[in-house]
Amino acid sequence: MVGDADPGLLPRVVAPIAKLGLVPDRCAFDLRGDGLAMIELVVAGLGPCQAEHMRLCYAGLPTMRAVDLSAASD
């Protein structure tokens, strides 16, 4: 995901996963030089429909610029 780098971005990204009772297996947050942040979130235990729903939720955040969904490789 790519979104505006502000102090509330990371909690807004993790909250929907926590509401499902899940803990991210990986959460990486990197600041870019253009005022945006790159976030990688890996969560095990989501089915395809749940994952697509989460992608749509993230894409709807006002501060989010891009959201991409992919299956994690082992």
Side-chain angles (χ1 to χ4, degrees):
M1 294 178 262
V2 176
D4 294 332
D6 67 61
L9 180 60
L10 193 54
R12 285 193 304 273
V13 168
V14 175
I17 299 300
K19 288 179 182 178
L20 291 175
L22 299 171
V23 175
D25 294 293
R26 175 173 163 73
C27 184
F29 187 93
D30 294 312
L31 292 175
R32 299 179 358 174
D34 57 1
L36 297 175
M38 176 73 78
I39 303 109
E40 179 186 6
L41 189 64
V42 177
V43 181
L46 290 176
C49 291
Q50 282 180 310
E52 177 61 15
H53 175 75
M54 296 306 300
R55 187 192 68 77
L56 293 172
C57 289
Y58 290 132
L61 290 174
T63 60
M64 202 58 65
R65 303 295 178 95
V67 178
D68 183 31
L69 176 68
S70 62
S73 59
D74 294 332

